[in-house]
Amino acid sequence: EPEVTQTPSHQVTQMGQEVILRCVPISNHLYFYWYRQILGQKVEFLVSFYNNEISEKSEIFDDQFSVERPDGSNFTLKIRSTKLEDSAMYFCASRQGSTDTQYFGPGTRLTVL
Amino acid sequence: GNSVTQMEGPVTLSEEAFLTINCTYTATGYPSLFWYVQYPGEGLQLLLKATKADDKGSNKGFEATYRKETTSFHLEKGSVQVSDSAVYFCALSAQGGSEKLVFGKGTKLTVNP
């Protein structure tokens, strides 16, 4: 069964460093998302992406964040200069378009020291 | 704005016990409602969904009914198994094209043999 994959599973970085989180959505899906979950808190929407552009973003998704679909398979989330409060589990999701069901990856745990 | 309030956990049950996890929502219009489950070390998986009032979603013995009059979507299972131990998330997707998911905080369920 097709699934969303994410790499790495755990990323540790120093405050101020750039990180890139990678996702491979399901191959025939057209809509892509990033969510995050700070430990003990809700899963929060960050951004949605369709047709090579951002379709919606939350207040969390400020100028430090960017997303890209550099080729036909990867979908990346870049944080330019990480802060301590960026430490969280980051989930990628994709949706085919014909239904509203989003399929999630296993997440990347980002730890900012 | 739209929000989901979910029963706080953790919940600990014995095998074959009855499970209810409460979920209520605030949204305009007619959102779609979802339950996602996260097994240890894995991503979020769709458990069931309902897209209109009085619909009942069901899967793997779990059920939830979309109750517009009480703005609720409570998750139930008649007889839980050890393998049901996981974190359960209630979520909504608003009507009218904003397809991002709004999640509750999640409820951790542990089922003991």
Side-chain angles (χ1 to χ4, degrees):
Chain A
E1 183 177 324
E3 58 183 19
V4 178
T5 59
Q6 290 184 244
T7 53
S9 57
H10 191 192
Q11 173 96 44
V12 181
T13 190
Q14 296 291 324
M15 190 170 56
Q17 295 296 304
E18 174 183 288
V19 294
I20 297 176
L21 310 184
R22 290 184 166 79
C23 169
V24 179
I26 295 173
S27 64
N28 63 343
H29 285 192
L30 302 175
Y31 297 81
F32 313 110
Y33 307 83
W34 284 101
Y35 295 82
R36 77 172 187 190
Q37 184 182 30
I38 295 171
L39 189 64
Q41 298 186 24
K42 295 185 179 188
V43 177
E44 301 170 291
F45 167 78
L46 292 178
V47 66
S48 57
F49 191 86
Y50 169 72
N51 200 25
N52 275 325
E53 59 184 28
I54 290 173
S55 47
E56 186 175 357
K57 60 184 180 180
S58 72
E59 291 175 354
I60 303 166
F61 195 89
D62 61 21
D63 291 345
Q64 293 300 310
F65 291 86
S66 62
V67 289
E68 195 177 31
R69 188 152 163 83
D71 52 42
S73 60
N74 290 282
F75 180 51
T76 62
L77 174 69
K78 183 194 291 186
I79 309 175
R80 261 185 269 291
S81 178
T82 50
K83 307 183 188 74
L84 295 176
E85 54 265 37
D86 293 328
S87 294
M89 180 73 87
Y90 288 80
F91 294 105
C92 173
S94 68
R95 175 170 74 96
Q96 186 177 39
S98 57
T99 73
D100 54 5
T101 299
Q102 293 182 26
Y103 294 87
F104 284 77
T108 292
R109 179 165 298 285
L110 176 65
T111 301
V112 182
L113 302 176
Chain B
N2 298 330
S3 66
V4 173
T5 302
Q6 195 175 331
M7 175 176 157
E8 294 283 336
V11 173
T12 302
L13 296 173
S14 298
E15 208 164 21
E16 299 184 4
F18 183 85
L19 169 72
T20 300
I21 300 177
N22 290 337
C23 172
T24 57
Y25 67 90
T26 302
T28 53
Y30 295 86
S32 295
L33 302 173
F34 305 83
W35 278 100
Y36 279 83
V37 58
Q38 185 177 31
Y39 298 104
E42 299 184 17
L44 296 166
Q45 300 176 24
L46 178 68
L47 181 60
L48 52 85
K49 70 177 187 181
T51 56
K52 60 183 188 294
D54 300 325
D55 266 4
K56 179 187 283 188
S58 61
N59 186 23
K60 300 182 181 179
F62 291 89
E63 293 182 340
T65 301
Y66 189 143
R67 301 282 188 206
K68 179 122 181 95
E69 64 275 13
T70 54
T71 60
S72 65
F73 193 54
H74 304 320
L75 182 69
E76 296 182 336
K77 186 173 185 182
S79 176
V80 293
Q81 306 300 311
V82 172
S83 56
D84 294 327
S85 297
V87 181
Y88 292 82
F89 294 91
C90 185
L92 70 81
S93 174
Q95 182 188 28
S98 173
E99 73 275 15
K100 69 182 180 189
L101 290 168
V102 176
F103 284 89
K105 281 189 80 169
T107 302
K108 183 175 181 181
L109 170 67
T110 301
V111 180
N112 295 318

